[in-house]
Amino acid sequence: MSDVDGKRAEIVARIAQEFGLGDPAALPAEDRARVEAATGEILEAEAVPPASPELRRLIAEYRRLQDLRAGEDNVRLAEAGEVFAPEDDA
């Protein structure tokens, strides 16, 4: 499990807790789907502030890890000669 995946699992657990549910791994499929949907919405949102400071902290850490991984991926591509510019993405 990568650092990003581990942080996402922490976020899922925190959201389950905020919903008043227990361990996400032990939830019925319906509750697990609800928690996963809420997690996806929160992580995709640009500026939706979560309810708790703890959840805001976890999301900030998750996004930093994603940025770090993207930067590392870009370095690997550049080292392999796959140099590109953002405008090439269009």
Side-chain angles (χ1 to χ4, degrees):
M1 178 183 291
S2 73
D3 291 344
V4 173
D5 294 335
K7 190 58 64 178
R8 189 178 193 289
E10 287 182 57
I11 293 168
V12 168
R14 182 63 193 186
I15 290 172
Q17 180 182 8
E18 289 192 7
F19 282 174
L21 305 169
D23 176 22
L27 294 176
E30 183 178 301
D31 286 339
R32 177 69 184 194
R34 193 176 77 168
V35 170
E36 285 292 338
T39 301
E41 289 173 13
I42 286 172
L43 292 178
E44 290 174 13
E46 289 294 321
V48 176
S52 73
E54 174 68 12
L55 188 53
R56 283 194 299 271
R57 180 187 62 76
L58 289 170
I59 290 169
E61 291 172 359
Y62 175 84
R63 289 183 174 155
R64 278 192 297 273
L65 287 169
Q66 278 189 314
D67 290 344
L68 179 62
R69 181 170 35 173
E72 290 170 350
D73 290 345
N74 288 339
V75 167
R76 276 192 289 281
L77 287 172
E79 288 172 348
E82 296 289 331
V83 181
F84 59 92
E87 57 272 2
D88 293 341
D89 291 343

